[in-house]
């Protein structure tokens, strides 16, 4: 039995940021290669710190849904998931034993060799009659002077496509490192140039920075005798789904011995289902058993009959993404669960649905009820931050306390990381008895803002 975990960046601000990961997780579930497909995020829930706890089996493959190697795949994800690895990931991935679970961490999907075919497809969409006689292909990468690995994949794709002979010239140029993208007129001599951004999705760079820097006026721009065709980013091509399926199959081939049920995980869910069978209030929701099925609804909607009926875990996931006032809910235990719905599931779907409604809450709540959940104090969380988040190490205890009061005051969880006590959990009949083992990335982000605002004031 094997679990697959797809890792996305996620966002504290954009409710649509995780959509691509949702899409690929659903696709892979449908393929049935793995016995379960889960998702974890840097800036959403379940977080990178929590996601391994949510895996049902003792064999777990983790695929980062990133387009290139770099800071996130080499530093943030392995660090936060406790993989004991930093730096470039070898082609065969990194394998670790963590608490009786085999965790296999792969390269990101963007480095898969079949990405070259996706780039060529994008180029042919932009310029259907591209020919080896007069057409150059320019792959535009982000690049960063801090990590040469992030551009390596762009060069590899350029080499492979050059070897295919499908274009007169092939070049790799970058926004943030040399050779820069604006040097293309000197580097390429072909009459026609197809430019393809090696980016995950449309955004600021693909829609503004690149066109502005290069003077592009649309999908086709004339530069005197030469014509530039500007294509869509590779990450949104439908064929990416095939790349991800291929990557999952490759990963599966490296997992010859299937795992088994993770006993800790199963114990938590068995205890939860026993409570659910008797009727249970969890956070702001009530679970009521009925004729072998389970109804979930906001507790405040008890007795209402005019509710929207939801029939799938994904339907519930999407319904609770925004509050009733339209606010995005990156932290699912914020006290703003939208009302007006009820969902009905069988036992298997109830597990997935609760995983979407309150990610990792069953696993962590059960550990807390057994007095076995280890809290991570703020000082440790701050110390392990890197990149722009190292700033939180300069937060004063007063700033941490004040920001936490503001942010966590709206959250159901009890801050074990701040020394607060949780004597009884929802397993013991207290609906809001949900532990918070360590500061979430939403709070870390807010503390960073607090420090930045204070430092700005000090400079003025
Ligand atoms: Fe909730 Fe605060 Fe914990 Fe974040 S840090 S999950 S806001 S209690």
């Amino acid at each position: 039995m094997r679990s697959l975990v797809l890792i996305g960046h996620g966002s504290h601000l954009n409710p649509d940021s995780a959509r691509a990961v949702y899409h690929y997780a659903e696709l892979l579930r449908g393929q049935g290669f793995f016995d379960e497909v889960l998702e974890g995020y840097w800036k959403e829930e379940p977080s990178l710190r929590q996601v391994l706890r949510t895996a049902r089996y003792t064999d777990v493959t983790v695929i980062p849904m990133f387009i290139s190697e770099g800071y996130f795949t080499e530093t943030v994800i392995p660090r936060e998931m406790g993989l004991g690895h930093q730096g470039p990931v070898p082609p065969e991935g990194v394998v670790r034993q963590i608490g009786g679970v085999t965790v296999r961490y792969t390269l990101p999907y963007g480095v898969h060799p079949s990405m070259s075919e996706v780039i060529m497809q994008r180029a042919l969409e932009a310029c259907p009659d591209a020919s080896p006689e007069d057409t150059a292909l320019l792959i535009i990468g982000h690049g960063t002077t801090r990590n040469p690995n992030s551009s390596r994949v762009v060069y590899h794709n350029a080499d492979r496509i050059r070897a295919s002979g499908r274009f007169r010239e092939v070049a790799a140029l970058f926004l943030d490192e040399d050779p820069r993208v604006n040097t293309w007129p000197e580097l390429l001599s072909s009459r026609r140039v197809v430019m393809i951004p090696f980016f995950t999705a449309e955004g600021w760079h693909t829609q503004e920075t690149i066109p502005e820097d290069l003077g592009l006026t649309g999908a086709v721009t004339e530069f005197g005798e030469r014509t530039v065709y500007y294509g869509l980013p590779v990450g949104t091509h439908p064929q990416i789904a095939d790349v991800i399926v291929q990557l999952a199959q490759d990963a599966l081939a490296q997992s010859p011995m299937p795992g088994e049920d993770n006993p800790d995980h199963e114990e938590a869910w068995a205890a939860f289902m026993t409570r659910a069978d008797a009727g249970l209030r969890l956070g702001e929701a009530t679970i009521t058993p009925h004729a072998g099925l389970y109804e979930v609804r906001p507790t405040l909607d008890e007795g209402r009959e005019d509710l929207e009926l939801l029939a799938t875990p994904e339907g519930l996931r999407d319904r609770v993404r925004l509050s009733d006032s339209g606010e995005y809910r990156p932290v699912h235990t914020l006290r703003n669960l939208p009302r007006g719905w009820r969902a009905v599931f069988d036992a298997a779907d109830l597990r997935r649905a609760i995983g979407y409604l309150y990610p990792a809450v069953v696993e962590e709540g059960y550990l807390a009820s057994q007095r076995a959940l280890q809290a991570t104090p703020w000082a440790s969380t701050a110390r392990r931050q890197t990149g722009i988040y190292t700033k939180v190490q300069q937060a004063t205890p007063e700033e941490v306390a004040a920001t936490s009061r503001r942010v966590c005051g709206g959250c159901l969880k009890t801050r074990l990381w701040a020394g607060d006590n949780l004597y009884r959990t929802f397993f013991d009949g207290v609906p809001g008895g949900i532990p918070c083992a360590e500061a979430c990335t939403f709070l870390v982000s807010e503390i960073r803002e607090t420090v930045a605002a204070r430092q700005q004031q000090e400079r003025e």
Side-chain angles (χ1 to χ4, degrees):
M1 306 299 271
R2 299 173 174 97
S3 302
L4 174 67
V5 179
L6 301 183
I7 299 293
H9 188 284
S11 168
H12 296 150
L13 303 170
N14 178 358
D16 293 325
S17 170
R19 290 254 168 248
V21 180
Y22 286 169
H23 170 71
Y24 294 127
E26 280 162 35
L27 177 91
L28 290 172
R29 257 176 227 125
Q31 302 271 344
F33 301 136
F34 286 82
D35 300 284
E36 72 172 358
V37 180
L38 305 168
E39 301 123 56
Y41 301 93
W42 170 226
K43 291 200 167 182
E44 294 184 31
E45 294 174 316
S47 70
L48 301 176
R49 301 286 287 174
Q50 299 169 316
V51 70
L52 287 178
R53 278 203 179 116
T54 69
R56 183 169 183 165
Y57 304 114
T58 57
D59 184 280
V60 180
T61 297
V62 179
I63 300 181
M65 301 300 285
F66 287 73
I67 203 152
S68 61
E69 297 163 273
Y71 175 59
F72 281 105
T73 63
E74 295 179 356
T75 302
V76 176
I77 298 172
R79 180 194 73 209
E80 295 292 297
M81 293 187 76
L83 299 183
H85 173 89
Q86 289 285 275
V89 175
E92 68 278 11
V94 170
V95 182
R96 292 285 183 270
Q97 292 294 325
I98 303 177
V101 176
T102 303
V103 181
R104 193 171 296 96
Y105 180 59
T106 75
L107 286 163
Y109 79 86
V111 304
H112 198 275
S114 52
M115 289 299 285
S116 301
E117 189 51 42
V118 179
I119 296 170
M120 287 197 272
Q121 291 299 326
R122 276 286 186 237
L124 290 174
E125 277 171 16
C127 178
D129 58 348
S131 85
E133 281 74 48
D134 71 350
T135 312
L137 172 65
L138 169 54
I139 309 171
I140 304 174
H142 188 288
T144 161
T145 46
R146 283 172 313 193
N147 190 333
N149 283 344
S150 77
S151 52
R152 194 170 57 186
V153 60
V154 184
Y155 285 120
H156 281 171
N157 280 298
D159 291 345
R160 276 194 292 263
I161 296 173
R162 194 175 296 116
S164 76
R166 304 251 299 259
F167 295 86
R168 182 168 173 266
E169 298 166 288
V170 179
L173 298 177
F174 301 91
L175 296 187
D176 277 2
E177 70 178 62
D178 292 334
R180 304 278 165 162
V181 70
N182 55 9
T183 61
W184 74 268
E186 297 98 68
L187 281 175
L188 300 171
S189 59
S190 301
R191 189 176 65 80
R192 303 193 295 171
V193 179
V194 187
M195 298 185 176
I196 301 299
F198 195 75
F199 282 72
T200 317
E202 289 287 20
W204 183 57
H205 282 311
T206 62
Q207 292 177 323
E208 293 182 37
T209 322
I210 296 171
E212 278 170 22
D213 285 0
L214 302 184
L216 306 180
T217 53
V220 181
T221 308
E222 302 292 343
F223 287 90
E225 304 277 281
R226 307 171 76 179
T227 307
V228 168
Y229 300 83
Y230 184 50
L232 296 169
V234 291
T236 54
H237 194 283
Q239 217 175 314
I240 290 292
D242 299 336
V243 176
I244 288 163
V245 168
Q246 184 63 53
L247 190 61
Q249 281 179 316
D250 295 349
L252 198 61
Q254 290 190 25
S255 155
M257 294 288 291
E260 48 199 38
D261 280 345
N262 182 337
D264 296 340
H265 187 268
E266 282 312 285
E267 194 177 307
W269 278 96
F272 178 81
M273 292 307 292
T274 302
R275 306 299 190 285
D277 283 336
L280 171 71
R281 285 177 60 194
L282 166 60
E284 294 182 281
T286 297
I287 301 163
T288 310
H290 182 69
L293 298 173
Y294 300 86
E295 189 214 58
V296 185
R297 65 165 72 195
T299 303
L300 290 173
D301 283 338
E302 225 167 312
R304 270 181 66 179
E305 290 188 359
D306 57 339
L307 301 175
E308 177 191 353
L309 178 64
L310 308 171
T312 63
E314 287 72 24
L316 176 62
R317 173 196 72 197
D318 295 343
R319 183 68 174 77
V320 300
R321 219 155 160 71
L322 303 180
S323 72
D324 280 330
S325 56
E327 256 177 300
Y328 173 43
R329 307 176 66 242
V331 178
H332 294 236
T333 43
L334 290 180
R335 296 170 199 264
N336 57 2
L337 186 70
R339 297 179 54 188
W341 55 269
R342 70 185 191 94
V344 179
F345 304 113
D346 62 18
D349 276 353
L350 180 69
R351 281 174 74 135
R352 288 207 306 122
I354 296 300
Y356 283 135
L357 181 66
Y358 289 128
V361 155
V362 169
E363 293 84 357
E364 295 191 340
Y366 185 71
L367 284 174
S369 74
Q370 304 299 301
R371 304 283 174 263
L373 183 65
Q374 219 177 343
T376 305
W378 167 253
S380 305
T381 301
R383 221 174 14 246
R384 68 163 204 274
Q385 301 303 312
T386 52
I388 61 169
Y389 291 103
T390 48
K391 201 180 270 291
V392 301
Q393 292 159 9
Q394 297 163 41
T396 64
E398 293 74 26
E399 284 173 329
V400 175
T403 311
S404 170
R405 259 197 311 277
R406 173 170 59 78
V407 174
C408 305
C411 181
L412 289 162
K413 286 186 177 176
T414 298
R415 303 168 314 155
L416 305 187
W417 59 267
D420 296 349
N421 291 313
L422 179 66
Y423 297 109
R424 297 173 70 215
T425 72
F426 58 93
F427 279 98
D428 312 303
V430 179
I434 302 175
C436 178
E438 68 176 81
C440 66
T441 60
F442 185 60
L443 177 61
V444 171
S445 232
E446 291 292 309
I447 291 175
R448 178 182 174 273
E449 294 294 317
T450 302
V451 176
R454 187 239 307 152
Q455 292 177 339
Q456 178 66 27
Q457 267 179 2
E458 286 167 356
R459 277 195 295 274
E460 287 168 1

